[in-house]
Amino acid sequence: MAGTFVAFIPAIIAIALALITKQVYLSLFMGIFVGAMCLSLGNPIDALQNIFTILAEQLGNNGGILIFLVVLGIFAVLMVKSGGSNAYSNYAYSKIKTKRGTLLMGTALGACFAVDDYFNCMTLGSVMRPISDKHGISHSKLSYLIHSSAAPFCIIAPVSSWSAAIAGYLDGGIISFFKTIPMNLYAILAIAMVVCTSVLGIDFFKMKKDEKIARETGDLDAGETDLPVESIKAVPNEKGRVYHLIIPVILLIVCCIGSMLYNGWTVLRDMTEAQLIEEVGHGSIEFFDLFAECDSSIALAVGSAIALFITVIIYLATKAVSFKDTMDSIVEGFTSMVPAMLILIFAWTLSSIMGAKGAGIDEAGNIIQDGTLNAKAFVLVNLSADTIPVGIIPFVFFIIAGLIAFATGTSWGTFGVLIPIASTVITIDSGAIYFLTMSAVLGGAVFGDNTSPISDTTIMASSAAHSNHINHVRTQLPYASIAAVVAAISYLIAGFATHNPLVGENYGATVAVTFVVGVVLFAVVMVILFLLDKLGVIDRISEKTSGKFRKSKKNKAEVFQEEKAEASPLDDVSDSE
């Protein structure tokens, strides 16, 4: 069954069950079990043995990320106990009076944290959750903001773990990556979607319902249960100051970036000039080489641990927290992240069984039996230059990248599979269409990653926002899909435009056509959606698709209104707009 479409069946089962039952643990395990049964040819004992063998391997291979998550969980607890989160939310609430301003601030911070998607998700969640809760922003909306400010920003950031990794796949290295940035329409439009919906104040479908529940009842979770993390309740601390949150966040950023650079340097420092030429393509160590060669998971774990150690010293020195509270925070922080880590481990195990990063095929074109279902081999065997017209290549690769990333839950695995294939279909000597095609692969992979229930960033974004995991998938899907449809149409138009003598192989002209077509189409779509919202059409569609509020919500609304009347102005979570 390896190298056939069967490789994708486990993911299809896991995703379908998750959306139907909303039980993400059970759904992922069933997908894993089906995949393991395929590998063991129906022997359940062998299947279980394979499952736990692969699960143990994933624990070891991804230990750095798990440590990073635990450290961030401890950070979150300490920030609450120090009073820093509460002080920051009070200060930000006094300066930013509207939900619109809060959402735009979150997007701006997402750009600042774009060094790594894991780092972006968890740090942005820690910073934004206190102030967004004050403004009554639903956790669904916050998780969408976090998710759309993670990978989309990272994949167009000149300096990040993403840029370094992707440059290693592209012909032409980091320069080729830079050339994909202005044509990476999905990433650009996904960010634009966050900004436009925030400024215009419009929402769609399930998100519309969740925001209404948050506004009318104060229930930021929209009644959804089975949250991926335990909510950390703020304890009033008069000693808390804004710097008790700001300094740890700055330390986290500086230490993590520094750790990534140092980790990359330790890989290259002892290499001879000949070895460097073989490894990085030139005889000296350059800045971008450090990012490209670093093990980001280990680097983030080390950097965050150093930042945590310094933060604890600062907190103890300023008496923001006691030694006992510090020790208790370690256990509480670990406990708060266990559900999210469990989902991640299951998602990694499922991806491994499927062979998203499998061995592929050998030089003779035969499928390599590598102990997985080798989904990579299926893609390699069924995608060739002979089957795709040149003008449609960017569009086709965008769609394929989106499907693979959605099914496997990994954008990086999709890069690893599709970029080498795309590079053989369209070589760098083909001119601008090469960079257009690479942009399509990168954008499609991020789209699939943004919408997949089994994606690690989906899990981390929902965890960071304290949002229900499956609810986040359902609420984000319309927003991401609109940006993806516009991007796909733009790639189709731009791909055929490269045959026009006015565009041809000219890079600047291709960028202009791609960008202008994408922006114009997106603007038209947003105007239409804005008008439909004003006419109440979106409200009526939302009511039909998501149903009316339950009676219990009305009871919660009455309770909330009573609490609201007694609350101080600072605790008012209504929309001040």
Side-chain angles (χ1 to χ4, degrees):
M1 297 181 183
T4 68
F5 183 74
V6 171
F8 293 93
I9 298 298
I12 294 172
I13 291 173
I15 292 168
L17 283 176
L19 295 175
I20 294 169
T21 67
K22 298 184 182 179
Q23 299 298 318
V24 66
Y25 303 114
L26 175 64
S27 302
L28 284 171
F29 185 79
M30 288 304 298
I32 291 169
F33 185 73
V34 169
M37 286 288 284
C38 292
L39 284 175
S40 64
L41 301 178
N43 186 319
I45 303 300
D46 287 348
L48 287 174
Q49 182 170 296
N50 284 339
I51 288 173
F52 288 106
T53 298
I54 295 174
L55 193 148
E57 290 174 354
Q58 293 306 310
L59 280 170
N61 295 338
N62 297 285
I65 291 300
L66 297 177
I67 294 171
F68 177 59
L69 289 179
V70 170
V71 172
L72 290 180
I74 298 170
F75 256 113
V77 175
L78 279 173
M79 287 176 184
V80 169
K81 290 191 174 184
S82 71
S85 294
N86 190 54
Y88 168 78
S89 65
N90 290 342
Y91 174 79
Y93 189 84
S94 68
K95 299 297 182 182
I96 303 174
K97 301 294 185 180
T98 65
K99 289 172 63 173
R100 177 188 293 123
T102 301
L103 293 169
L104 292 176
M105 180 186 78
T107 307
L109 288 175
C112 297
F113 299 158
V115 64
D116 183 82
D117 54 331
Y118 290 172
F119 173 78
N120 192 312
C121 283
M122 301 309 296
T123 307
L124 187 58
S126 298
V127 173
M128 286 301 302
R129 194 169 59 250
I131 178 62
S132 70
D133 285 357
K134 286 278 188 181
H135 279 291
I137 297 171
S138 70
H139 288 165
S140 300
K141 190 64 176 283
L142 178 60
S143 58
Y144 161 63
L145 166 69
I146 293 170
H147 205 172
S148 295
S149 300
F153 268 123
C154 288
I155 205 166
I156 59 175
V159 178
S160 71
S161 60
W162 284 56
S163 64
I166 293 167
Y169 293 118
L170 295 171
D171 295 336
I174 195 68
I175 300 302
S176 291
F177 172 76
F178 289 157
K179 289 187 175 183
T180 67
I181 293 176
M183 291 188 284
N184 197 329
L185 284 179
Y186 174 74
I188 294 170
L189 297 181
I191 297 166
M193 177 65 77
V194 176
V195 174
C196 288
T197 53
S198 299
V199 171
L200 297 176
I202 58 175
D203 288 298
F204 320 119
F205 311 118
K206 183 65 168 60
M207 186 78 81
K208 186 91 171 178
K209 174 184 174 181
D210 288 4
E211 281 291 279
K212 187 175 181 181
I213 291 174
R215 183 172 63 252
E216 295 185 354
T217 74
D219 180 10
L220 302 183
D221 297 318
E224 302 287 349
T225 56
D226 189 27
L227 296 178
V229 294
E230 295 180 1
S231 182
I232 302 169
K233 302 298 182 183
V235 178
N237 186 345
E238 295 180 357
K239 297 179 181 179
R241 297 292 183 268
V242 174
Y243 73 82
H244 285 138
L245 182 137
I246 299 299
I247 290 179
V249 170
I250 293 175
L251 281 171
L252 200 57
I253 295 171
V254 172
C255 290
C256 285
I257 293 176
S259 180
M260 292 173 73
L261 294 173
Y262 180 78
N263 184 279
W265 180 69
T266 59
V267 174
L268 301 175
R269 63 184 176 186
D270 296 325
M271 290 188 180
T272 64
E273 183 176 346
Q275 290 173 326
L276 284 172
I277 292 174
E278 182 179 353
E279 182 69 21
V280 299
H282 41 261
S284 60
I285 301 175
E286 298 181 0
F287 180 76
F288 287 106
D289 299 331
L290 302 179
F291 277 101
E293 296 299 321
C294 83
D295 183 336
S296 61
S297 63
I298 298 300
L300 289 174
V302 172
S304 61
I306 294 172
L308 177 63
F309 179 73
I310 299 173
T311 297
V312 168
I313 292 176
I314 293 173
Y315 281 173
L316 292 175
T318 58
K319 298 182 178 180
V321 293
S322 66
F323 181 76
K324 182 179 183 303
D325 283 340
T326 301
M327 295 299 101
D328 290 343
S329 296
I330 295 175
V331 177
E332 292 174 27
F334 180 88
T335 303
S336 71
M337 297 306 298
V338 166
M341 290 191 294
L342 183 59
I343 298 174
L344 269 176
I345 293 166
F346 277 179
W348 289 330
T349 303
L350 178 62
S351 178
S352 179
I353 286 176
M354 290 172 57
K357 300 178 182 179
I361 57 178
D362 58 24
E363 295 180 357
N366 299 313
I367 296 170
I368 299 174
Q369 301 298 322
D370 60 355
T372 74
L373 292 175
N374 206 341
K376 180 177 179 179
F378 176 80
V379 178
L380 293 170
V381 169
N382 291 277
L383 198 60
S384 66
D386 298 332
T387 60
I388 309 175
V390 175
I392 204 175
I393 284 176
F395 171 81
V396 169
F397 271 100
F398 179 81
I399 300 298
I400 293 174
L403 291 174
I404 292 176
F406 182 83
T408 61
T410 168
S411 52
W412 283 37
T414 303
F415 302 151
V417 172
L418 280 188
I419 290 179
I421 296 175
S423 296
T424 59
V425 175
I426 292 291
T427 66
I428 195 170
D429 297 328
S430 301
I433 195 171
Y434 171 81
F435 303 108
L436 182 66
T437 303
M438 296 305 114
S439 301
V441 171
L442 301 180
V446 171
F447 166 62
D449 185 73
N450 270 178
T451 53
S452 175
I454 61 175
S455 163
D456 44 9
T457 50
T458 301
I459 297 163
M460 296 185 78
S462 58
S463 300
H466 287 188
S467 171
N468 177 274
H469 174 61
I470 299 303
N471 193 47
H472 167 51
V473 174
R474 293 171 62 198
T475 50
Q476 171 156 296
L477 185 60
Y479 298 82
S481 297
I482 290 170
V485 169
V486 172
I489 295 172
S490 302
Y491 284 130
L492 188 61
I493 295 172
F496 282 106
T498 56
H499 293 293
N500 189 304
L502 295 177
V503 178
E505 298 180 0
N506 186 284
Y507 172 78
T510 303
V511 169
V513 170
T514 307
F515 190 80
V516 170
V517 170
V519 169
V520 170
L521 285 176
F522 182 76
V524 170
V525 170
M526 291 308 300
V527 169
I528 293 173
L529 290 173
F530 179 74
L531 294 176
L532 290 176
D533 183 61
K534 291 301 180 184
L535 294 173
V537 175
I538 292 180
D539 283 337
R540 290 194 289 273
I541 295 175
S542 298
E543 287 294 328
K544 290 180 180 179
T545 56
S546 59
K548 297 185 177 181
F549 297 155
R550 298 188 301 271
K551 184 178 179 180
S552 61
K553 290 297 177 188
K554 296 181 181 179
N555 295 334
K556 289 188 75 172
E558 294 173 1
V559 173
F560 173 69
Q561 292 299 332
E562 292 174 2
E563 293 177 348
K564 178 181 173 184
E566 299 173 359
S568 65
L570 187 61
D571 296 323
D572 184 1
V573 295
S574 63
D575 184 359
S576 58
E577 294 176 314

